[in-house]
Amino acid sequence: WRIILPQQTKPNQTMASKIKSSGTPDEFELQVAQEILNLEMSSNDLKGPLKDLYITAAKEVDCGAGKKAIVLYVPYKLLKSFNKIHQKLIRELEKKFSGRHVLVIAQRTILGNSYKRAPRSAAPRPRSRTLTAVQDAILEDIVYPTEITGKRTRCKVDGKRIVKVYLDSKDQANVEPRTDTYAAVYGKLTNKQVSFVFN
């Protein structure tokens, strides 16, 4: 369903088609939706691909040291479409929101251990809906289009765990300045510590 904006925003109601949420979008989400709409209208490369795409939410994440990142949540079914224009879209949005990295993450549902299917079905919950699978998928979304080549979990004496993620070195020049943002956002979303290395 489409969000109906207040009467005073009638001239910009078309931006409601760029954000579809279960609640009322806040001011920041409307700002992001407006920028995406502006790109659709002004960019020849993005006009077609963005026509049927929209976000479900947008959040600003504090990455420390005065830096912030913008996380765009998109419907899972539209993730592949967003990935096709990922680099162009991110580049243009980061120009608009100068100084802030932009990340695209699919909206996923986590089902608890107590989840049961219909009474007649004895099948277990889908593997893709477990906490671990969703957190792994979030990590892949964050580093996209860079490929994750390996992961190691290091356990400290105090019980803390740090996940070391190995990324494809062919993207090192472009991705290395962003790894601190990746780690901060992943930590905020999953409460897990992660570090990135290239191999």
Side-chain angles (χ1 to χ4, degrees):
W1 54 280
R2 294 178 183 270
I3 296 171
I4 300 176
L5 301 179
Q7 188 67 31
Q8 61 268 26
T9 60
K10 190 173 181 180
N12 294 322
Q13 280 189 340
T14 49
M15 72 178 170
S17 65
K18 291 300 158 192
I19 178 166
K20 298 181 183 181
S21 172
S22 57
T24 304
D26 59 28
E27 185 178 344
F28 179 71
E29 289 174 329
L30 292 176
Q31 181 185 357
V32 173
Q34 183 63 55
E35 292 297 347
I36 294 175
L37 180 63
N38 291 343
L39 285 176
E40 181 185 332
M41 294 189 296
S42 62
S43 173
N44 292 330
D45 292 336
L46 296 174
K47 185 174 183 177
L50 279 176
K51 182 179 179 181
D52 298 318
L53 300 184
Y54 58 89
I55 63 174
T56 57
K59 304 295 180 186
E60 203 168 30
V61 178
D62 188 356
C63 299
K67 295 182 179 180
K68 292 185 177 181
I70 297 172
V71 178
L72 305 182
Y73 290 93
V74 303
Y76 178 78
K77 64 181 180 180
L78 296 181
L79 181 62
K80 287 186 178 180
S81 297
F82 270 98
N83 284 347
K84 290 178 182 179
I85 57 170
H86 185 278
Q87 289 177 306
K88 289 181 181 178
L89 178 63
I90 296 303
R91 183 171 60 248
E92 294 301 322
L93 286 177
E94 288 182 351
K95 288 179 183 177
K96 303 291 184 181
F97 298 99
S98 56
R100 285 174 283 183
H101 290 144
V102 178
L103 307 175
V104 176
I105 297 176
Q107 193 86 48
R108 295 180 172 88
T109 302
I110 298 174
L111 300 177
N113 292 329
S114 60
Y115 170 79
K116 292 183 179 180
R117 290 179 184 262
R120 294 182 181 180
S121 174
R125 61 179 170 158
R127 175 74 178 83
S128 62
R129 300 291 182 88
T130 63
L131 176 64
T132 301
V134 170
Q135 289 181 342
D136 287 345
I138 289 173
L139 184 60
E140 291 178 2
D141 288 351
I142 287 175
V143 303
Y144 187 86
T146 304
E147 183 181 350
I148 296 175
T149 58
K151 282 188 281 188
R152 299 288 184 274
T153 301
R154 178 185 174 190
C155 298
K156 291 187 173 182
V157 179
D158 59 5
K160 290 183 179 180
R161 294 187 176 190
I162 298 179
V163 180
K164 183 178 284 188
V165 180
Y166 295 87
L167 302 178
D168 195 331
S169 58
K170 68 181 177 65
D171 298 320
Q172 184 170 357
N174 295 325
V175 174
E176 196 163 25
R178 306 170 69 91
T179 54
D180 288 343
T181 299
Y182 292 168
V185 171
Y186 187 70
K188 295 280 187 181
L189 297 179
T190 65
N191 204 29
K192 285 186 174 181
Q193 283 187 291
V194 66
S195 61
F196 295 94
V197 293
F198 296 88
N199 66 353

